[in-house]
Amino acid sequence: MSIKILLVDDHSLFRSGIRLLLQRNPEFEIVGEASDGLEGIKRAKQLKPDVVLMDLNMPGLSGLEAMQLIVEDLPDTAVLMLTVSEEAEDLTTALKSGARGYLLKNIEADYLTQAIKRAAAGEPVIAESMTAKLVMQFRSGNNVSTAPEREKLTPRERETMVCLARGESNKEIARNLDVAESTVKIHVQNILKKLNLTSRVQIAVYAVEHGMDK
């Protein structure tokens, strides 16, 4: 089955370019477009896409606000922020608010294609140039703290968490921990439930924020 994609960006020329790029891939289906956050929410509810490519800064309702409402109403839809902002604060706010990933608009075409596939599969995606900023943001000052919830996790779940913080896929985690991929999925679900989180990205952010990423 094809991956259904919704494009939300206030620049029509940029949307057209992304549409032409993605339509070359038979695995993708562009089901709709929107020019602002409010329209994006309406279109997402109507079309129920697998992935939403969302600009961060748009007039009216921002991409961040629209993303939060879409994630709340459509938890199975992955929202990828596609922006020019390289600010660490924008990155962390988006991930904490439920974005499946954070990409920059200068991204290479092949990387964008793979990022969409990974997001649709439930994996977190962060632009490589932003990963270091994410870690620095949480490790600066006194941000790293010990969370009492960490005691709820089994040793294997903690190891899984470390791998998630490195952005590894289920297949990579399974290989590194020498377990079945289905076992990794169970560990991820257990972590989400025990820490009251909603996505793999939030697990990764939590791990870095609380010093559980190594």
Side-chain angles (χ1 to χ4, degrees):
M1 296 180 62
S2 60
I3 298 173
K4 296 185 294 183
I5 302 171
L6 172 65
L7 306 177
V8 184
D9 195 293
D10 60 319
H11 292 96
S12 59
L13 186 61
F14 182 78
R15 291 200 313 273
S16 298
I18 292 296
R19 171 185 279 274
L20 289 173
L21 172 66
L22 299 182
Q23 282 179 332
R24 299 174 185 171
N25 192 317
E27 297 178 75
F28 298 150
E29 177 187 359
I30 310 300
V31 294
E33 297 182 21
S35 59
D36 59 54
L38 186 59
E39 184 184 1
I41 294 172
K42 293 178 180 178
R43 298 289 282 165
K45 290 182 178 180
Q46 292 170 351
L47 301 169
K48 294 179 173 55
D50 300 305
V51 176
V52 176
L53 291 180
M54 177 84 71
D55 190 14
L56 183 65
N57 298 309
M58 294 182 287
L61 194 69
S62 72
L64 180 63
E65 294 170 312
M67 179 270 296
Q68 291 173 313
L69 293 173
I70 291 174
V71 170
E72 182 178 340
D73 291 340
L74 302 169
D76 293 331
T77 295
V79 180
L80 289 179
M81 307 308 294
L82 186 57
T83 176
V84 297
S85 175
E86 298 186 41
E87 295 297 324
E89 186 174 349
D90 286 338
L91 168 65
T92 54
T93 300
L95 297 181
K96 282 186 173 182
S97 299
R100 186 71 58 82
Y102 193 97
L103 304 172
L104 300 178
K105 285 188 175 181
N106 60 3
I107 190 173
E108 295 290 338
D110 289 344
Y111 191 95
L112 177 60
T113 298
Q114 292 304 314
I116 292 172
K117 292 179 182 179
R118 289 179 60 188
E123 299 176 22
V125 183
I126 302 175
E128 292 180 0
S129 61
M130 297 298 291
T131 303
K133 292 186 179 183
L134 175 65
V135 175
M136 291 294 291
Q137 177 77 357
F138 284 115
R139 287 181 175 167
S140 62
N142 297 316
N143 285 338
V144 176
S145 61
T146 301
E149 293 86 353
R150 69 188 302 163
E151 303 305 325
K152 299 178 182 178
L153 303 180
T154 66
R156 186 59 90 180
E157 288 166 355
R158 293 180 191 176
E159 291 176 339
T160 301
M161 199 173 198
V162 171
C163 294
L164 289 171
R166 292 197 294 256
E168 296 179 6
S169 65
N170 283 351
K171 183 177 295 185
E172 291 170 329
I173 296 173
R175 183 172 63 249
N176 290 337
L177 300 184
D178 195 24
V179 297
E181 195 169 340
S182 58
T183 300
V184 174
K185 293 180 180 179
I186 293 174
H187 289 328
V188 172
Q189 290 303 313
N190 287 341
I191 295 170
L192 290 171
K193 184 176 181 180
K194 290 180 179 181
L195 300 184
N196 194 30
L197 302 174
T198 60
S199 72
R200 295 166 63 99
V201 171
Q202 289 186 352
I203 293 177
V205 171
Y206 184 99
V208 175
E209 187 174 22
H210 294 91
M212 300 172 67
D213 58 327
K214 55 184 177 180

